[in-house]
Structure formats: C-alpha cells, structure tokens
Amino acid sequence: MSGWSSEEARRFLATLPAATVIVDDDRVVVVSNEAARTLLGVGDGALVALPTRATASEPRTDQRHVLGAGGEPFLASVAWRGIDLAGAPHTLVHVIPIREEERDRVLAARDLEVLRHGTAIAELGIFEHDHVTQAIWISSEMRVIYGWPPEKPATLQALLECAHPDDGERVGAAVARAHDPSGDGWCDVEGRLFRPNGEVRWVRTRSRTYFEGEGAARR
C-alpha cells in the first residue's frame, strides 16, 4: 500500500468483509470501512487502543476484548500490521468477532488459571490496560472478584489499593517489573485483596505488557 492516497485506501477497505481501520502513529483513525463503523462504532477521527504498533515486516495477531458499537465488550481476533500510506507510517487493523462456541478454547489457550482455596473457587476475570491512555477495562467477572459495582471507575491505583498490606509491596513490585521496558513484560503474582465488605480473597494475577520500540527507545 506504499504511496496510496486515503481515497484509494478507502476504496480498498470497502471491499473487505472484516471491520477494518487504518490509524496513524497517534492511533487516530484516518480511514475506516462500513463494517468497522457498524461493529465498533469507530469512524474517521476516532482514537483506538492497540497494544503496540506493528512494522510492515512484523504483523501481529491477538485475541482480546474490544468494545462494540453499543459499548459492550466482546471477544475478537485482532490482526494489525504496519503499512505505508501516502509516504507516512500507519497501521492497518482487522477485527473479527470470535464465535461463542470458540470462546472457551481461546480463553484456555491464554493459560489463565482458576485459583482454588479450600472449597472456594475464584471467578476468572480479565482486564486490559492501555498504557497510552491509562484506561483500564475490567470484565464483569473481575468486578465480582473485587466486589466492585458496575459504576466504580477502574484504575491501576484503585486495583493496587485493594491489596492486603502484607502483600502490597510484593504485588506492586511485580507490577513494576512487568512495566519495566528492560524486562519481558510478564506479571505472575499471588496475594490477598480486601473487598469493600471487608472479606479477604486470594487471587492470582497473570498478565503481560507489550512494548514499542527497540533498545533505549523501548517503552
């Protein structure tokens, strides 16, 4: 797509059945197709969240929750790759919903574990943290784990403040390591949390941070 104009790219995206957008380096949508506007409610000028920008030689694919046009998250296969549009670097993004019957297989492949203590079985919660906007999305199951109502804003600080005092330093250190560009981005930590009703729960958090850039420029 090197040297294409926005209009040429728009005509190409219109032929694709998948929800597809092209974003610039600021993650602003410069071209979108009808499927993207219908499924995601995303049109030109919108801001989208991506875990990292791919280069043309390094396309990425991931399974993650994205927000639909009605504001409800759904599980989707997201593929993105770097392209050259009108002489400038951009990212082409495809979003394909994962059918309900595939959900269990996909989540199992993420190597997320359910933690058992005695006869109690913890729910399986999912979260996503966009380090560019600092926005955090948490699933309804994770709100149950933390005892949070739907209207409570989710922030990293609020999540960390739920940690038991005896575990807070260790949990915070694990999060800091995961956010360190010199590391591999993995966070795997177990600890106790306080729920609003005073109940203490054991949880295990397993996540991975993805970085942009190389060497000293990695962030």
Side-chain angles (χ1 to χ4, degrees):
M1 297 180 66
S2 176
W4 277 25
S5 67
S6 294
E7 185 55 37
E8 289 171 324
R10 194 180 307 280
R11 289 198 296 268
F12 170 68
L13 262 61
T15 67
L16 303 178
T20 307
V21 297
I22 297 176
V23 301
D24 61 19
D25 267 359
D26 293 323
R27 292 178 168 82
V28 174
V29 176
V30 295
V31 181
S32 58
N33 65 1
E34 182 62 31
R37 294 187 287 273
T38 300
L39 179 67
L40 308 173
V42 172
D44 297 1
L47 184 68
V48 297
L50 291 175
T52 182
R53 188 177 73 80
T55 64
S57 59
E58 187 187 21
R60 302 288 185 88
T61 303
D62 193 13
Q63 289 79 41
R64 61 203 315 257
H65 282 83
V66 298
L67 289 179
E72 290 296 321
F74 63 90
L75 193 62
S77 174
V78 182
W80 65 103
R81 64 171 301 145
I83 63 170
D84 185 287
L85 180 64
H90 288 73
T91 305
L92 179 72
V93 187
H94 302 282
V95 178
I96 302 174
I98 293 176
R99 295 191 302 272
E100 192 67 29
E101 58 267 25
E102 295 179 334
R103 178 183 173 88
D104 291 343
R105 176 184 61 78
V106 171
L107 293 181
R110 288 185 167 190
D111 193 28
L112 295 174
E113 300 177 4
V114 175
L115 179 64
R116 297 172 182 266
H117 282 276
T119 58
I121 302 177
E123 292 85 358
L124 179 63
I126 299 174
F127 71 92
E128 292 196 11
H129 178 200
D130 183 347
H131 291 249
V132 176
T133 65
Q134 292 305 316
I136 292 184
W137 174 83
I138 64 175
S139 68
S140 58
E141 293 88 353
M142 188 164 174
R143 287 188 176 275
V144 171
I145 294 170
Y146 277 75
W148 285 8
E151 66 273 10
K152 181 178 175 64
T155 66
L156 180 60
Q157 185 61 33
L159 291 171
L160 292 176
E161 287 175 352
C162 292
H164 190 285
D166 293 342
D167 300 330
E169 184 175 349
R170 179 167 50 82
V171 171
V175 173
R177 285 195 302 271
H179 294 177
D180 184 352
S182 65
D184 61 7
W186 279 107
C187 175
D188 192 347
V189 63
E190 182 177 326
R192 292 158 291 181
L193 66 83
F194 278 116
R195 306 178 82 214
N197 63 1
E199 179 186 357
V200 176
R201 269 198 171 183
W202 280 90
V203 297
R204 179 180 181 184
T205 301
R206 181 171 169 80
S207 65
R208 188 175 189 180
T209 303
Y210 293 90
F211 301 94
E212 290 183 334
E214 301 294 337
R218 196 170 189 242
R219 59 184 176 86

